[in-house]
Amino acid sequence: MTERPHHATARTAAYGDGTAPARPALRVVHEPGGIDLAAAEAAAGRFLDALGISTASESLRGTPGRMARAYAELFSPRPFDLTTFPNDEGYDELVLARRIPVRSVCEHHLLPFVGTAHVGYLPGARILGLSKLARVVEHFACRPQVQERLTKQVADWLQNHLEPKGVGVVIEAEHTCMTLRGVQATGSSTMTSTLLGLLRSDARSRSEFLALTGAS
């Protein structure tokens, strides 16, 4: 991950009333080691062949290439600007984005897990553009993952970059590595949570967050 100030759209001159200049947006870019689609396609073909699946037919001939492109898409989060704004009104109540779609891949079997995330925070000096909560979830989900780590990464990253009074993340997802194979527990879901700051230490704030997410 690369993070750098994005000056292209941020004003840097002081306002006429003498207040502080606008803070540049933080550009968040995922820089993988490099994707070689041709090599991935060849490997996918060998993988299918090793499992006794012939790709000679017209319907399967393009499958290795489609597999390679599909996983490349799953592992490539889109860059975004972490746009924040001064909390001029001193808003100190919970900000919560519910039911953010989650799409990731289990690192143990490379099978998808999908679900929803609820991400909230108690603002400090700055507030966050609401769409960025979903962007942060996507950023950490687009890689081989375990749900526990994903939940904590989103919470820790927001705590470090936004410096709020508290952060809460709840993720509920269905893991196809558990529902389609092995125990085949169809319909089961897994729920994880991470609470930081006042959302962990203050009982009232914690209860409010968990009640609004449906996790209480």
Side-chain angles (χ1 to χ4, degrees):
M1 177 197 303
T2 297
E3 301 165 2
R4 55 180 178 268
H6 186 205
H7 296 277
T9 59
R11 290 174 293 171
T12 56
Y15 297 122
D17 60 5
T19 57
R23 177 186 293 186
L26 182 70
R27 186 68 169 171
V28 182
V29 181
H30 176 65
E31 294 183 350
I35 295 176
D36 187 336
L37 284 176
E41 179 176 352
R46 292 192 299 271
F47 172 73
L48 292 172
D49 186 61
L51 292 177
I53 301 174
S54 172
T55 57
S57 68
E58 181 179 351
S59 59
L60 284 170
R61 193 171 300 135
T63 296
R66 288 189 288 268
M67 285 176 60
R69 292 189 296 274
Y71 275 100
E73 180 180 341
L74 287 171
F75 297 151
S76 300
R78 294 169 292 181
F80 68 97
D81 295 329
L82 188 74
T83 311
T84 66
F85 307 94
N87 186 11
D88 292 331
E89 302 301 322
Y91 184 82
D92 60 359
E93 296 294 334
L94 181 65
V95 178
L96 175 64
R98 299 194 299 173
R99 294 187 290 274
I100 297 170
V102 173
R103 176 195 74 180
S104 193
V105 175
C106 164
E107 69 178 26
H108 301 134
H109 301 93
L110 286 190
L111 289 173
F113 64 89
V114 296
T116 56
H118 311 291
V119 182
Y121 70 98
L122 291 170
R126 300 187 71 81
I127 56 176
L128 181 66
L130 288 177
S131 67
K132 308 310 176 185
L133 294 173
R135 292 288 197 184
V136 174
V137 171
E138 177 191 286
H139 185 83
F140 286 103
C142 285
R143 63 194 68 179
Q145 270 288 15
V146 296
Q147 185 175 325
E148 297 88 341
R149 183 196 303 131
L150 171 61
T151 308
K152 193 169 189 307
Q153 284 178 332
V154 172
D156 287 344
W157 198 87
L158 288 170
Q159 182 70 33
N160 291 335
H161 288 80
L162 189 58
E163 298 180 351
K165 296 176 182 177
V167 172
V169 179
V170 171
I171 296 178
E172 184 174 6
E174 179 178 317
H175 293 249
T176 57
C177 61
M178 188 169 72
T179 60
L180 298 182
R181 56 159 300 281
V183 68
Q184 298 184 22
T186 304
S188 66
S189 63
T190 299
M191 183 173 288
T192 51
S193 66
T194 295
L195 304 177
L196 303 175
L198 286 178
L199 288 182
R200 184 182 184 91
S201 62
D202 180 68
R204 186 189 68 83
S205 298
R206 182 172 65 251
S207 296
E208 179 187 12
F209 173 77
L210 293 176
L212 289 174
T213 62
S216 60

